[in-house]
């Protein structure tokens, strides 16, 4: 039996802001988080709903994909065991940061 994981929207938002993402208003009821490195936006973005719903497994997978991470890396980022520097290295390795 698979264990279903749920994370709080506020925990994800807080983790993204700590890891170098900035917040901007998106369409409809969403906010957009954009990764920045040395003051420059990097083409890594994800969306969160304004309704503060919990984020289920499906949305975690989608957000991880948007952030160019595995679901496990995404969850570790929320738990703060993935740092901003680790994300920079990962994005450099993927060619997203020159």
């Amino acid at each position: 039996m698979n264990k279903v994981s749920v994370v709080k929207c506020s925990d994800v938002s807080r983790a993204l802001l700590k890891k170098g993402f900035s917040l901007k208003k998106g369409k409809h009821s969403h906010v957009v988080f954009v990764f920045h490195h040395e003051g420059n936006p990097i083409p890594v973005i994800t969306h969160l709903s304004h309704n503060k719903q919990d984020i289920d497994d499906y949305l975690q997978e989608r957000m991880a994909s948007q952030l160019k991470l595995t679901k496990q890396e995404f969850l570790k980022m929320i738990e703060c065991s993935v740092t901003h520097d680790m994300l920079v290295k990962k994005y450099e390795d993927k060619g997203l940061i020159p």
Side-chain angles (χ1 to χ4, degrees):
M1 182 172 152
N2 290 337
K3 181 182 174 190
V4 175
S5 67
V6 175
V7 294
K8 293 184 182 286
C9 184
S10 59
D11 292 342
V12 173
S13 178
R14 189 172 21 259
L16 289 169
L17 292 171
K18 285 182 180 179
K19 302 303 187 277
F21 289 83
S22 67
L23 180 66
K24 72 177 195 174
K25 298 274 185 198
K27 294 180 181 179
H28 310 292
S29 64
H30 291 85
V31 291
V32 178
F33 289 86
V34 180
F35 189 73
H36 283 77
H37 177 62
E38 297 178 349
N40 299 311
I42 304 303
V44 177
I45 65 167
T46 193
H47 305 83
L48 274 177
S49 176
H50 266 267
N51 68 11
K52 308 283 193 243
Q53 71 186 22
D54 288 341
I55 300 171
D56 63 15
D57 281 323
Y58 172 76
L59 289 176
Q60 290 170 38
E61 289 280 350
R62 299 261 332 253
M63 291 180 75
S65 176
Q66 291 171 344
L67 296 173
K68 316 293 192 251
L69 302 171
T70 66
K71 182 179 171 192
Q72 183 180 15
E73 290 168 332
F74 174 74
L75 293 173
K76 286 182 178 183
M77 183 190 67
I78 295 166
E79 297 167 355
C80 292
S81 52
V82 171
T83 66
H84 171 77
D85 291 340
M86 293 166 95
L87 284 176
V88 167
K89 174 74 171 116
K90 178 167 283 303
Y91 294 150
E92 285 173 340
D93 290 348
K94 291 179 181 265
L96 298 168
I97 298 174

